[in-house]
Amino acid sequence: MSVATAFPTTQGVPAPGPRCLACANCTGFVFLCLIGQLLARQPLYVVGVDNPSVASNKCFGAAFTYLFIVVVSIATLVYDKARPKAAVSSNYSDMGQDMSFLGSDATAERDRRRASRAQERDALAGLEMQSMPTKSML
């Protein structure tokens, strides 16, 4: 399972992927750095700040938190790209413990039931074809 898809959706809304998070947090990092520089160099342009040096330091702290999330998102993208792809299995044998409650021959039973249903379907289709009137009967 990919790191990006490890978390389930919440109420039908998919969780944002690492590419989306990297872009959004990169924007937040740049914005907070600009506000921090503005508070440090020209505090008169920002109205309502009592202590501009403390506010500037808090902006830079928040900006580096955003930068950390950008780095983690990029690392996730690199990891997902470099990770070998898992083989696709169609017989559910890779589920392991999830199917242990079904017993050791659960897949054989499932295949037997599918074959039985297919035979029943074919038999019903044959009966329907026999019961349909043909042109010669009309």
Side-chain angles (χ1 to χ4, degrees):
M1 180 180 287
S2 166
V3 174
T5 59
F7 300 101
T9 60
T10 305
Q11 298 176 356
V13 178
R19 187 172 294 148
C20 176
L21 289 174
C23 292
N25 286 308
C26 188
T27 304
F29 170 74
V30 170
F31 177 74
L32 285 171
C33 283
L34 290 174
I35 297 298
Q37 282 295 327
L38 186 65
L39 285 169
R41 295 182 185 215
Q42 297 291 329
L44 296 175
Y45 288 121
V46 182
V47 179
V49 177
D50 295 332
N51 196 347
S53 63
V54 173
S56 173
N57 289 337
K58 289 188 179 191
C59 276
F60 286 125
F64 287 116
T65 303
Y66 275 83
L67 182 65
F68 174 75
I69 294 172
V70 168
V71 170
V72 169
S73 297
I74 291 172
T76 300
L77 287 169
V78 169
Y79 172 77
D80 285 345
K81 193 136 191 130
R83 186 176 46 105
K85 302 292 181 211
V88 178
S89 175
S90 63
N91 61 0
Y92 301 109
S93 63
D94 59 340
M95 292 185 75
Q97 294 177 356
D98 291 343
M99 289 185 54
S100 63
F101 69 95
L102 295 175
S104 59
D105 44 323
T107 55
E109 176 66 19
R110 183 196 67 227
D111 293 338
R112 185 192 64 74
R113 287 183 182 183
R114 283 184 180 169
S116 174
R117 278 189 229 122
Q119 286 175 350
E120 289 174 4
R121 208 173 323 125
D122 293 342
L124 286 175
L127 288 175
E128 287 175 0
M129 292 300 288
Q130 289 175 359
S131 65
M132 290 178 66
T134 60
K135 250 186 178 180
S136 62
M137 293 178 141
L138 297 174

